[in-house]
Amino acid sequence: MSVTDLPMPGTTTVRGACPCDCPDTCALEVTVEDGRATRVRGDRSHPFTRGGLCVKMNDYERTVYSEDRVLHPLRRTGPKGGGQFERISWDDALDEIAGRFREIAETSGPEAIMPVSYLGTQGILNGLNVGDPFFNRLGATISERTYCDSGSCTAYAMTVGATAGVDPESFVHARYIVIWANNMLSTNLHLWPFVAEAQRRGAKVVVIDPVRHRTAQHADWYIPIRPGTDGALALAMAHVIIGEGLTDEDYVARYTVGFDELAERVRQYTPEWASGETGIPAEDIRTLAREYAAASPSVIRIGVAIERHAGGGQTVRAISCLPALTGAWREPGGGLLQLPLWAFPVNWPAFLGAEFIRPGTRVVNQWLLGRALTGELALDPPIRALMVYNSNPLVVCPEQDRMVAGLSREDLFTVVSEHFLTDTADYADIVLPATTQLEQRDLMFSWGHFYVTMNEPAVAPLGEAVPNTELFRRLAARMGFTEPVFTRTDEQMVAEAFDWSSPVMAGITPETLARDGWARLRLPGPDEYAPHAQGGFPTPSGKVEFVSSAAAGGNFVLPLFRQGSNEHQPGEPVDPLPHYVPPRESAGSGRHPLTLLSPKSHAYLNSSFADRPGQQRVQGGPALHMHPDDAAARGLAEGAEVSVVNDRGRFTARLHVTADVAPGVVVFPMGAWRKHSRGATVNALSPSVFADLGRAPTFSDNRVEVQPVGPVDAAAPAGEAGRADLA
Ligand SMILES: Nc1nc2c(c(=O)[nH]1)N[C@H]1C(S)=C(S)[C@@H](COP(=O)(O)OP(=O)(O)OC[C@H]3O[C@@H](n4cnc5c(=O)[nH]c(N)nc54)[C@H](O)[C@@H]3O)O[C@H]1N2
Ligand SMILES: Nc1nc2c(c(=O)[nH]1)N[C@H]1C(S)=C(S)[C@@H](COP(=O)(O)OP(=O)(O)OC[C@H]3O[C@@H](n4cnc5c(=O)[nH]c(N)nc54)[C@H](O)[C@@H]3O)O[C@H]1N2
Ligand code: SF4
Ligand SMILES: [Mo]
């Protein structure tokens, strides 16, 4: 520590946690001077995040004190979407909301009211489930939120069970690291140093992605693949590993079920066949399988993006089989990393309010929101009121044109709780001001490491902003809900957040967390942690299930993703063995030639920060990335103004021609707002079709055409605009 790091007299340092929906969950230190946060930086003593914040958060105090913050309740004064509002009091806002909710519940039934939320913050108190008890008590439509990783979770649970998997910190021990559909240097930044350390120690790093992005550029071997065909690659790897006798026979015999059936199943999936699907030479597939099986320990990191096509679930099923075939789980640093979230003993029942759900309450998936609002999805009663919090559906949901039409309905009553006037908030009848992480208490799990992090409020709420917890306390009181869950304080919620008596929480209490800021779950250290060296998988058999017993119950969505409800399980039958499901649109239903990918923007967090000037400067203007061959075939050049079209919609963009995207693929990062774009954004073209498992979205299963719309402006190359994405 240098002299300049020492706190100045009159200043305090408050420990916090980044609230973003990001696997890293960085530990923060907030400098507060005279009641104002003046600096936010990473906690350098944190073993995983090590003090460096990403470009989204390294000037967080500017976001918090931005002049654009919504600081008072607002009522709409202009047309829907116009963003014109007048200030009103909290009392008036709550009266109006409770009055409308009551009237709608009485005349149409409470299912005419629907919550729409996701992960604006992922704190246990203020995040995913904060409104669930309220809406379940009200009897509102149950909102199914399978935006992210639901398909992967279902597939993973079917195969290896809900296990934390490999400790990200033990990646340093791996000898072979496969980064599969994950732009780690943009989306999981703090895992990279562990990969780089392994690489320094001699590990081979392989990146499998249709895009040669900044992470791929650091790989020892970059393997371009056709989007949505990863299942073919994984099954062919299994074919080679089994066919060439590269399995760990002892591990397979002791700790797996269904090997013979799997061997029989993958016999058809030859490298030559997979080459035709994936575009990867058959010899490369063999080499990958042999190297992967020979190296010990080997580890696979799957990105969330792996699930976003018709066969996303079966892809994760197939990949989840590989480490068991080779016995990679035997050593620290070997196995598979999906969501270490499963390591945390979160007391979900205390937050879901599932006990309030009336049997038979209808479930609507937020993915179909546009259709639900326009009436194309036949709903009785129709949706008459929406309450949006922790989400910006107009930007993040598919079929954006339908969303605009739906949100424009004069008879729809829309409430939005927000930090900023987002595209969605512009359509609200009432906007409510929400506090940021610096103004609220929360407790965080992580989906990228094994540390619990406490967030202490650093400053008083700005204006009349309230935490989401307080918002729902106020609404519940107005609705006359008196059960204890609606009156508990944030401190009481912290006390209920975990099963503190769980062995992994030994010695960790709210008090120690308030003092220290964070704590590692009481698991063996990263040099020793090999949770499945001797099996012990949390599946019904306790083994890796090549033949999945959970598949017998059919396709399922975990209750976490659907407001606590486990009812209405669709039970569509699922083949208990992994198999190949080709991408839907390239297999025939998409008549356009190019596959559009919409991965994460480097400088934004989903659509959050996409309105912040500092982040916009880093991100640069949005650009559509296209391979030179595809550009030449269309007579398009760098900087061209292009229209990206399919049967669902269109948007315009500047073209950036680059060999870093595979031929046949175009890339436009998600996150930019409509009001900063020329109207429609990339999700105007995304389908609302679900993947095969867990009702995952299928953004990557999206066929489009690209057309010129104007003359080339050679003076303004779009390469500048798109620089943050592929740099
Ligand atoms: N900077 C930044 N970080 C973020 C976020 C953000 O918005 N911005 N969002 C956070 C959230 S919510 C999430 S879910 C994670 C997601 O993080 P990631 O899992 O990394 O997801 P994406 O960035 O969407 O996509 C990663 C890569 O998958 C590739 N890809 C797409 N389709 C396929 C395919 O079919 N096969 C293969 N092999 N690759 C494919 C894309 O080309 C892209 O390079 O990131 C988190 N971190
Ligand atoms: N095309 C395409 N679409 C995608 C994806 C993709 O890869 N491609 N990714 C999908 C994925 S993985 C995800 S996770 C979703 C993300 O979808 P969302 O979770 O909706 O993410 P954001 O767009 O960041 O919107 C979060 C909003 O919550 C607000 N917010 C933040 N904190 C608080 C708070 O404490 N209280 C309240 N009331 N509001 C708060 C923020 O200001 C922001 O406007 O998008 C999905 N959409
Ligand atoms: S967004 Fe992710 S990387 Fe950035 S500060 Fe937050 S947790 Fe860390
Ligand atoms: Mo996500």
Side-chain angles (χ1 to χ4, degrees):
M1 191 183 268
S2 71
V3 176
T4 52
D5 291 328
L6 294 171
M8 301 295 287
T11 67
T12 52
T13 302
V14 180
R15 290 178 176 281
C18 177
C20 292
D21 181 7
C22 166
D24 294 13
T25 311
C26 288
L28 306 180
E29 287 176 354
V30 185
T31 307
V32 181
E33 298 174 61
D34 300 327
R36 192 179 167 92
T38 51
R39 183 175 173 195
V40 179
R41 62 178 193 183
D43 177 349
R44 274 172 284 186
S45 67
H46 190 278
F48 187 76
T49 58
R50 299 176 174 183
L53 301 184
C54 71
V55 63
K56 283 97 68 187
M57 283 293 290
N58 60 12
D59 64 346
Y60 191 48
E61 68 283 359
R62 289 195 206 184
T63 299
V64 171
Y65 292 107
S66 162
E67 286 179 0
D68 301 331
R69 274 283 299 277
V70 174
L71 294 178
H72 306 281
L74 304 172
R75 181 193 280 127
R76 181 167 63 87
T77 54
K80 292 227 175 191
Q84 291 152 275
F85 298 98
E86 63 181 3
R87 181 174 166 180
I88 57 172
S89 69
W90 262 104
D91 263 344
D92 285 351
L94 291 168
D95 281 345
E96 188 160 337
I97 298 166
R100 289 296 294 269
F101 280 7
R102 250 191 227 104
E103 179 269 322
I104 290 170
E106 276 159 23
T107 54
S108 302
E111 286 176 326
I113 303 165
M114 179 170 168
V116 174
S117 76
Y118 203 58
L119 277 168
T121 163
Q122 55 178 348
I124 299 174
L125 273 59
N126 289 288
L128 188 62
N129 307 105
V130 62
D132 293 2
F134 175 84
F135 286 105
N136 287 340
R137 171 73 171 76
L138 184 63
T141 286
I142 291 173
S143 194
E144 192 171 63
R145 302 170 289 225
T146 54
Y147 280 145
C148 176
D149 232 33
S150 166
S152 174
C153 287
T154 297
Y156 182 81
M158 275 183 177
T159 319
V160 295
T163 167
V166 180
D167 181 345
E169 287 174 77
S170 55
F171 269 51
V172 291
H173 299 300
R175 305 289 303 162
Y176 205 81
I177 301 177
V178 182
I179 301 173
W180 207 328
N182 175 224
N183 185 2
M184 195 179 286
L185 278 166
S186 287
T187 62
N188 189 185
L189 179 63
H190 295 84
L191 179 55
W192 179 257
F194 297 87
V195 174
E197 174 60 23
Q199 203 176 24
R200 268 192 297 278
R201 297 184 192 179
K204 184 160 179 175
V205 176
V206 181
V207 168
I208 304 170
D209 203 296
V211 183
R212 191 170 171 276
H213 44 58
R214 45 160 50 82
T215 312
Q217 289 168 19
H218 287 84
D220 298 295
W221 187 13
Y222 164 60
I223 305 179
I225 187 168
R226 264 185 215 128
T229 65
D230 306 83
L233 175 59
L235 291 161
M237 286 174 73
H239 172 101
V240 175
I241 290 168
I242 296 172
E244 298 189 2
L246 306 176
T247 54
D248 179 333
E249 281 177 26
D250 178 61
Y251 196 89
V252 168
R254 286 174 196 252
Y255 308 126
T256 71
V257 290
F259 176 76
D260 292 342
E261 292 90 332
L262 181 69
E264 178 58 29
R265 172 60 61 89
V266 301
R267 206 188 305 275
Q268 63 191 297
Y269 297 125
T270 63
E272 281 67 25
W273 164 82
S275 178
E277 292 294 316
T278 60
I280 304 169
E283 234 6 75
D284 284 357
I285 297 175
R286 284 202 174 82
T287 304
L288 176 66
R290 289 172 189 150
E291 288 184 356
Y292 168 76
S296 182
S298 63
V299 67
I300 300 174
R301 167 50 159 172
I302 49 169
V304 174
I306 197 89
E307 73 174 11
R308 299 185 188 133
H309 48 86
Q314 288 301 331
T315 300
V316 174
R317 283 272 287 126
I319 293 174
S320 302
C321 294
L322 298 176
L325 286 174
T326 63
W329 290 109
R330 284 187 188 277
E331 291 174 71
L336 177 63
L337 178 62
Q338 187 236 13
L339 276 192
L341 157 65
W342 306 120
F344 295 82
V346 181
N347 181 16
W348 296 113
F351 293 88
L352 297 171
E355 65 279 12
F356 295 119
I357 296 173
R358 292 164 214 170
T361 303
R362 103 178 151 197
V363 178
V364 173
N365 193 293
Q366 285 182 192
W367 220 241
L368 303 175
L369 193 58
R371 286 168 186 249
L373 294 178
T374 54
E376 278 165 90
L377 187 70
L379 293 175
D380 181 24
I383 306 288
R384 292 182 54 201
L386 277 189
M387 177 150 175
V388 183
Y389 48 100
N390 280 341
S391 188
N392 187 6
L394 194 41
V395 175
V396 303
C397 277
E399 299 190 324
Q400 197 174 75
D401 293 353
R402 284 185 169 89
M403 285 286 296
V404 171
L407 288 173
S408 303
R409 267 174 46 198
E410 276 305 325
D411 64 330
L412 182 73
F413 177 64
T414 303
V415 181
V416 176
S417 163
E418 255 301 346
H419 296 155
F420 295 103
L421 285 179
T422 59
D423 286 343
T424 307
D426 280 350
Y427 285 82
D429 294 285
I430 302 280
V431 181
L432 299 172
T435 46
T436 67
Q437 188 79 333
L438 296 197
E439 304 148 71
Q440 65 198 19
R441 180 177 306 287
D442 221 321
L443 192 56
M444 322 291 293
F445 54 75
S446 166
W447 51 283
H449 57 64
F450 287 177
Y451 296 80
V452 183
T453 323
M454 178 74 104
N455 184 77
E456 295 280 321
V459 297
L462 271 60
E464 293 180 294
V466 300
N468 293 339
T469 51
E470 173 64 12
L471 163 62
F472 284 103
R473 278 191 290 265
R474 290 184 183 185
L475 267 179
R478 273 299 202 285
M479 295 300 289
F481 301 163
T482 54
E483 290 84 350
V485 71
F486 299 116
T487 52
R488 50 182 186 177
T489 62
D490 289 0
E491 289 72 14
Q492 286 169 323
M493 288 188 193
V494 166
E496 291 181 33
F498 287 113
D499 172 6
W500 300 95
S501 66
S502 160
V504 298
M505 299 298 280
I508 305 173
T509 66
E511 293 71 35
T512 63
L513 287 171
R515 186 190 65 210
D516 304 334
W518 48 266
R520 181 178 162 96
L521 295 174
R522 301 298 182 228
L523 295 165
D527 298 340
E528 288 91 43
Y529 187 66
H532 306 303
Q534 292 167 340
F537 292 91
T539 54
S541 63
K543 301 179 176 188
V544 172
E545 300 198 351
F546 298 140
V547 175
S548 168
S549 56
N555 188 5
F556 60 89
V557 170
L558 297 169
L560 184 62
F561 295 105
R562 40 165 34 209
Q563 237 170 280
S565 170
N566 219 2
E567 243 202 301
H568 295 290
Q569 292 292 2
E572 304 127 36
V574 175
D575 183 341
L577 274 171
H579 57 277
Y580 183 57
V581 180
R584 197 178 66 96
E585 298 210 344
S586 56
S589 72
R591 59 191 183 86
H592 300 295
L594 301 164
T595 296
L596 171 63
L597 302 181
S598 47
K600 307 303 186 185
S601 295
H602 178 72
Y604 308 149
L605 198 287
N606 299 317
S607 79
S608 300
F609 304 103
D611 59 329
R612 302 292 90 225
Q615 280 72 12
Q616 286 179 340
R617 265 194 301 280
V618 174
Q619 181 66 24
L624 181 83
H625 307 274
M626 179 186 261
H627 190 273
D629 294 351
D630 292 320
R634 288 165 181 76
L636 297 170
E638 175 73 14
E641 184 88 359
V642 294
S643 193
V644 189
V645 301
N646 66 14
D647 297 335
R648 292 175 283 267
R650 70 168 57 224
F651 68 94
T652 50
R654 300 288 302 287
L655 189 73
H656 176 46
V657 180
T658 168
D660 285 336
V661 301
V665 174
V666 285
V667 178
F668 191 90
M670 61 90 64
W673 295 10
R674 288 169 56 88
K675 61 174 117 180
H676 306 137
S677 312
R678 277 155 284 189
T681 60
V682 68
N683 271 335
L685 275 64
S686 300
S688 65
V689 178
F690 297 124
D692 54 344
L693 290 178
R695 285 204 276 291
T698 53
F699 307 108
S700 300
D701 206 331
N702 185 6
R703 286 282 179 141
V704 304
E705 181 53 287
V706 176
Q707 302 159 341
V709 288
V712 177
D713 180 359
E720 260 305 283
R723 67 178 177 266
D725 297 306
L726 302 178

